[in-house]
């Protein structure tokens, strides 16, 4: 498995994969992790990202996939895109959760557990630890209430975080009969 860099801390390992080639190199670990998810959505599968990188993304090298492993076992994948955001006259170097879809949903890929506060801390430590990955803001937009990303954020209790309802998702899960599905629509 080839990656742009590897960081090791005790039994944890963080690897960064960039663009199309990186996503291809990460395929086996992604499949193993996605197979463990109890209730996956389309955004939890690498095929959706491959399709987007191959057909829509104008600059695939701005998209990275950060793999966190414990004792060489895949634990989490963080799909991120490098952007800049202008706010109050400032230009902020931003890593945002990779989200380009019409449904308005985005997520990280991991199985939720009680130790998830460490996942976001590991991601932040990785981003802080690399000059190449320098940043001012991490933006987790378009996360659903039951998403892995929002779960990790709530578990982490970060001192400088802000959560705002921006809009409602267009995503409707059609996993039951018509009446049940329609009862979920507000």
């Amino acid at each position: 498995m080839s990656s742009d860099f590897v960081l090791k801390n005790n039994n944890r390992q963080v690897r960064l994969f960039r663009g199309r080639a990186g996503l291809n190199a990460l395929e086996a670990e992604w499949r193993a992790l996605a197979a463990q998810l109890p209730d996956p959505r389309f955004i939890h599968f690498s095929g959706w990202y491959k399709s987007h990188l191959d057909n829509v993304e104008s600059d695939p090298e701005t998209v990275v996939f950060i793999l966190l492993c414990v004792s060489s076992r895949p634990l989490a994948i963080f799909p991120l895109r490098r952007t800049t955001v202008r706010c109050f006259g400032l230009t902020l170097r931003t890593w945002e959760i990779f989200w380009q879809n019409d449904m308005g949903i985005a997520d990280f890929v991991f199985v939720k557990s009680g130790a998830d506060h460490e996942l976001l801390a590991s991601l932040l430590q990785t981003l802080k630890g690399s000059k190449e990955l320098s940043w001012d803001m991490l933006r987790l937009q378009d996360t659903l209430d039951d998403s892995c990303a929002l779960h990790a954020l709530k578990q982490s209790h970060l001192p400088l975080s802000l959560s705002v309802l921006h809009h409602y998702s267009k995503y409707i899960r059609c996993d039951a009969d018509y009446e049940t599905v329609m009862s979920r629509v507000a």
Side-chain angles (χ1 to χ4, degrees), residues 32-50:
L33 193 54
Q36 297 173 35
L37 296 174
D39 195 21
R41 294 183 168 96
F42 69 94
I43 55 173
H44 294 125
F45 296 101
S46 62
W48 182 83
Y49 295 90
K50 282 184 180 184

mmCIF file of all heavy atoms in Angstrom, residues 32-50:
data_model
loop_
_atom_site.group_PDB
_atom_site.id
_atom_site.type_symbol
_atom_site.label_atom_id
_atom_site.label_comp_id
_atom_site.label_asym_id
_atom_site.label_seq_id
_atom_site.Cartn_x
_atom_site.Cartn_y
_atom_site.Cartn_z
ATOM 1 N N ALA A 32 -12.789 -3.218 3.692
ATOM 2 C CA ALA A 32 -12.810 -3.901 4.986
ATOM 3 C C ALA A 32 -13.534 -3.066 6.027
ATOM 4 O O ALA A 32 -14.334 -3.594 6.812
ATOM 5 C CB ALA A 32 -11.379 -4.200 5.449
ATOM 6 N N LEU A 33 -13.297 -1.777 6.029
ATOM 7 C CA LEU A 33 -13.933 -0.893 6.996
ATOM 8 C C LEU A 33 -15.425 -0.730 6.698
ATOM 9 O O LEU A 33 -16.263 -0.821 7.594
ATOM 10 C CB LEU A 33 -13.236 0.467 6.988
ATOM 11 C CG LEU A 33 -13.548 1.426 8.110
ATOM 12 C CD1 LEU A 33 -13.326 0.790 9.480
ATOM 13 C CD2 LEU A 33 -12.689 2.677 7.973
ATOM 14 N N ALA A 34 -15.775 -0.521 5.447
ATOM 15 C CA ALA A 34 -17.179 -0.349 5.068
ATOM 16 C C ALA A 34 -18.000 -1.606 5.366
ATOM 17 O O ALA A 34 -19.173 -1.517 5.721
ATOM 18 C CB ALA A 34 -17.296 0.023 3.595
ATOM 19 N N ALA A 35 -17.387 -2.766 5.258
ATOM 20 C CA ALA A 35 -18.088 -4.023 5.538
ATOM 21 C C ALA A 35 -18.487 -4.143 7.004
ATOM 22 O O ALA A 35 -19.410 -4.890 7.338
ATOM 23 C CB ALA A 35 -17.217 -5.212 5.138
ATOM 24 N N GLN A 36 -17.822 -3.406 7.880
ATOM 25 C CA GLN A 36 -18.127 -3.457 9.310
ATOM 26 C C GLN A 36 -19.228 -2.479 9.724
ATOM 27 O O GLN A 36 -19.736 -2.572 10.838
ATOM 28 C CB GLN A 36 -16.871 -3.117 10.123
ATOM 29 C CG GLN A 36 -15.746 -4.091 9.938
ATOM 30 C CD GLN A 36 -14.493 -3.584 10.634
ATOM 31 O OE1 GLN A 36 -14.564 -2.965 11.688
ATOM 32 N NE2 GLN A 36 -13.341 -3.849 10.046
ATOM 33 N N LEU A 37 -19.577 -1.542 8.856
ATOM 34 C CA LEU A 37 -20.575 -0.526 9.203
ATOM 35 C C LEU A 37 -21.955 -1.156 9.346
ATOM 36 O O LEU A 37 -22.396 -1.884 8.452
ATOM 37 C CB LEU A 37 -20.617 0.574 8.151
ATOM 38 C CG LEU A 37 -19.350 1.405 7.994
ATOM 39 C CD1 LEU A 37 -19.489 2.366 6.819
ATOM 40 C CD2 LEU A 37 -19.048 2.163 9.265
ATOM 41 N N PRO A 38 -22.661 -0.873 10.432
ATOM 42 C CA PRO A 38 -23.968 -1.495 10.639
ATOM 43 C C PRO A 38 -25.061 -0.956 9.713
ATOM 44 O O PRO A 38 -25.996 -1.668 9.390
ATOM 45 C CB PRO A 38 -24.286 -1.171 12.100
ATOM 46 C CG PRO A 38 -23.471 0.022 12.418
ATOM 47 C CD PRO A 38 -22.240 -0.061 11.562
ATOM 48 N N ASP A 39 -24.954 0.295 9.277
ATOM 49 C CA ASP A 39 -26.014 0.905 8.472
ATOM 50 C C ASP A 39 -25.403 1.900 7.475
ATOM 51 O O ASP A 39 -25.609 3.109 7.596
ATOM 52 C CB ASP A 39 -27.003 1.610 9.404
ATOM 53 C CG ASP A 39 -28.303 1.956 8.718
ATOM 54 O OD1 ASP A 39 -28.628 1.335 7.691
ATOM 55 O OD2 ASP A 39 -28.985 2.884 9.204
ATOM 56 N N PRO A 40 -24.634 1.404 6.492
ATOM 57 C CA PRO A 40 -23.916 2.320 5.599
ATOM 58 C C PRO A 40 -24.832 3.041 4.611
ATOM 59 O O PRO A 40 -25.879 2.532 4.227
ATOM 60 C CB PRO A 40 -22.950 1.400 4.864
ATOM 61 C CG PRO A 40 -23.617 0.070 4.877
ATOM 62 C CD PRO A 40 -24.375 0.013 6.175
ATOM 63 N N ARG A 41 -24.410 4.238 4.241
ATOM 64 C CA ARG A 41 -25.051 5.021 3.183
ATOM 65 C C ARG A 41 -24.108 5.038 1.984
ATOM 66 O O ARG A 41 -22.960 4.617 2.088
ATOM 67 C CB ARG A 41 -25.312 6.440 3.682
ATOM 68 C CG ARG A 41 -26.321 6.504 4.799
ATOM 69 C CD ARG A 41 -26.583 7.954 5.189
ATOM 70 N NE ARG A 41 -27.740 8.048 6.057
ATOM 71 C CZ ARG A 41 -27.679 8.091 7.392
ATOM 72 N NH1 ARG A 41 -26.517 8.049 8.014
ATOM 73 N NH2 ARG A 41 -28.778 8.176 8.109
ATOM 74 N N PHE A 42 -24.551 5.577 0.871
ATOM 75 C CA PHE A 42 -23.716 5.591 -0.332
ATOM 76 C C PHE A 42 -22.395 6.318 -0.103
ATOM 77 O O PHE A 42 -21.380 5.970 -0.706
ATOM 78 C CB PHE A 42 -24.474 6.208 -1.518
ATOM 79 C CG PHE A 42 -24.733 7.683 -1.408
ATOM 80 C CD1 PHE A 42 -23.869 8.601 -1.970
ATOM 81 C CD2 PHE A 42 -25.874 8.157 -0.756
ATOM 82 C CE1 PHE A 42 -24.114 9.960 -1.876
ATOM 83 C CE2 PHE A 42 -26.129 9.508 -0.663
ATOM 84 C CZ PHE A 42 -25.243 10.420 -1.218
ATOM 85 N N ILE A 43 -22.363 7.300 0.773
ATOM 86 C CA ILE A 43 -21.138 8.064 1.017
ATOM 87 C C ILE A 43 -20.105 7.301 1.839
ATOM 88 O O ILE A 43 -19.000 7.786 2.026
ATOM 89 C CB ILE A 43 -21.452 9.406 1.705
ATOM 90 C CG1 ILE A 43 -22.257 9.163 2.974
ATOM 91 C CG2 ILE A 43 -22.132 10.347 0.770
ATOM 92 C CD1 ILE A 43 -22.484 10.386 3.810
ATOM 93 N N HIS A 44 -20.450 6.122 2.292
ATOM 94 C CA HIS A 44 -19.502 5.307 3.044
ATOM 95 C C HIS A 44 -18.732 4.327 2.156
ATOM 96 O O HIS A 44 -17.916 3.554 2.658
ATOM 97 C CB HIS A 44 -20.228 4.536 4.155
ATOM 98 C CG HIS A 44 -20.785 5.441 5.196
ATOM 99 N ND1 HIS A 44 -22.110 5.429 5.545
ATOM 100 C CD2 HIS A 44 -20.209 6.405 5.942
ATOM 101 C CE1 HIS A 44 -22.325 6.349 6.478
ATOM 102 N NE2 HIS A 44 -21.183 6.948 6.736
ATOM 103 N N PHE A 45 -18.979 4.358 0.854
ATOM 104 C CA PHE A 45 -18.334 3.420 -0.063
ATOM 105 C C PHE A 45 -17.389 4.146 -1.008
ATOM 106 O O PHE A 45 -17.702 5.226 -1.521
ATOM 107 C CB PHE A 45 -19.385 2.637 -0.857
ATOM 108 C CG PHE A 45 -20.248 1.768 0.007
ATOM 109 C CD1 PHE A 45 -21.517 2.164 0.366
ATOM 110 C CD2 PHE A 45 -19.765 0.561 0.497
ATOM 111 C CE1 PHE A 45 -22.311 1.373 1.186
ATOM 112 C CE2 PHE A 45 -20.549 -0.240 1.317
ATOM 113 C CZ PHE A 45 -21.827 0.162 1.658
ATOM 114 N N SER A 46 -16.253 3.537 -1.259
ATOM 115 C CA SER A 46 -15.225 4.164 -2.101
ATOM 116 C C SER A 46 -15.686 4.366 -3.535
ATOM 117 O O SER A 46 -15.220 5.284 -4.205
ATOM 118 C CB SER A 46 -13.946 3.332 -2.083
ATOM 119 O OG SER A 46 -14.185 2.042 -2.626
ATOM 120 N N GLY A 47 -16.613 3.548 -4.018
ATOM 121 C CA GLY A 47 -17.100 3.679 -5.390
ATOM 122 C C GLY A 47 -17.707 5.043 -5.682
ATOM 123 O O GLY A 47 -17.539 5.577 -6.777
ATOM 124 N N TRP A 48 -18.398 5.602 -4.699
ATOM 125 C CA TRP A 48 -18.976 6.932 -4.891
ATOM 126 C C TRP A 48 -17.868 7.963 -5.087
ATOM 127 O O TRP A 48 -17.942 8.829 -5.952
ATOM 128 C CB TRP A 48 -19.856 7.331 -3.704
ATOM 129 C CG TRP A 48 -20.467 8.654 -3.917
ATOM 130 C CD1 TRP A 48 -21.596 8.926 -4.631
ATOM 131 C CD2 TRP A 48 -19.964 9.922 -3.487
ATOM 132 N NE1 TRP A 48 -21.824 10.273 -4.657
ATOM 133 C CE2 TRP A 48 -20.833 10.904 -3.960
ATOM 134 C CE3 TRP A 48 -18.860 10.306 -2.747
ATOM 135 C CZ2 TRP A 48 -20.636 12.253 -3.721
ATOM 136 C CZ3 TRP A 48 -18.661 11.655 -2.502
ATOM 137 C CH2 TRP A 48 -19.546 12.602 -2.995
ATOM 138 N N TYR A 49 -16.809 7.889 -4.292
ATOM 139 C CA TYR A 49 -15.696 8.827 -4.398
ATOM 140 C C TYR A 49 -14.948 8.634 -5.721
ATOM 141 O O TYR A 49 -14.554 9.606 -6.360
ATOM 142 C CB TYR A 49 -14.743 8.657 -3.215
ATOM 143 C CG TYR A 49 -15.394 9.027 -1.904
ATOM 144 C CD1 TYR A 49 -16.062 8.071 -1.151
ATOM 145 C CD2 TYR A 49 -15.362 10.328 -1.434
ATOM 146 C CE1 TYR A 49 -16.687 8.409 0.040
ATOM 147 C CE2 TYR A 49 -15.979 10.681 -0.249
ATOM 148 C CZ TYR A 49 -16.642 9.714 0.484
ATOM 149 O OH TYR A 49 -17.263 10.063 1.658
ATOM 150 N N LYS A 50 -14.760 7.381 -6.123
ATOM 151 C CA LYS A 50 -14.099 7.114 -7.400
ATOM 152 C C LYS A 50 -14.878 7.719 -8.554
ATOM 153 O O LYS A 50 -14.306 8.357 -9.436
ATOM 154 C CB LYS A 50 -13.958 5.601 -7.621
ATOM 155 C CG LYS A 50 -12.850 4.981 -6.865
ATOM 156 C CD LYS A 50 -12.732 3.517 -7.224
ATOM 157 C CE LYS A 50 -11.601 2.907 -6.444
ATOM 158 N NZ LYS A 50 -11.350 1.529 -6.797
#
